[in-house]
Amino acid sequence: PHEINKKRIREISDKFKGETQLYSGTIDEKKNILIIDNMGNLSKIYKYAQIAYVGGGFGKGIHNVLEPAIYKIPVIFGKNYHKFPEAVGLIDAGGAVSIDSYSMFDKVLNDFINNEKHRKKAGEIAQEYCKSLSGATDIIYEEIFRT
């Protein structure tokens, strides 16, 4: 969450049926819902996930979709992604899914949860897409200094 205070964390926690835990607390592996209650660590934590929902897609734009994708994680995000080439590319490749409602989110999430083969394939595609984007710095450097 962008707002890290007790009230906001409680609101988020109350939305889940299962038991939640805070990243700042003692990790209990029996609880499978982790709420990140600090800033700056999300990109490092994605590697522990199996599925990622990236926020912002119902506002002006989404957050970084490549951070989870590089870890072979299928990505889910809202419908306002068209201005973000990485998100469009991930969807086109098959490593991400855009949702436009809670019911669609529930369907996509449960499909990934219940279909391990599909989840892993989408994750592999997501990672390959990220890898396909590497090397931009070298290309730009060569173009600038090619004389």
Side-chain angles (χ1 to χ4, degrees), residues 39-126:
M39 297 294 250
N41 289 315
L42 188 56
S43 65
K44 298 172 198 143
I45 297 169
Y46 276 126
K47 66 183 170 187
Y48 301 110
Q50 294 182 13
I51 304 162
Y53 173 80
V54 174
F58 288 97
K60 292 183 179 182
I62 57 176
H63 298 277
N64 191 324
V65 297
L66 298 180
E67 287 177 344
I70 194 64
Y71 291 109
K72 288 188 178 180
I73 298 169
V75 185
I76 304 169
F77 45 80
K79 61 184 179 177
N80 297 334
Y81 68 91
H82 295 90
K83 293 183 200 173
F84 303 87
E86 297 87 4
V88 172
L90 268 175
I91 285 182
D92 290 347
V97 178
S98 171
I99 54 145
D100 62 10
S101 66
Y102 174 79
S103 61
M104 188 174 180
F105 171 73
D106 190 51
K107 180 185 178 309
V108 169
L109 180 63
N110 281 306
D111 182 45
F112 281 138
I113 290 170
N114 296 319
N115 188 336
E116 182 179 4
K117 185 177 179 180
H118 174 59
R119 181 180 70 244
K120 286 186 174 187
K121 180 66 176 169
E124 289 170 5
I125 290 169

Side-chain angles (χ1 to χ4, degrees), residues 131-147:
K131 288 179 178 180
S132 76
L133 299 176
S134 67
T137 302
D138 293 336
I139 293 168
I140 293 168
Y141 181 85
E142 288 295 322
E143 187 64 28
I144 290 171
F145 293 102
R146 185 182 64 175
T147 53

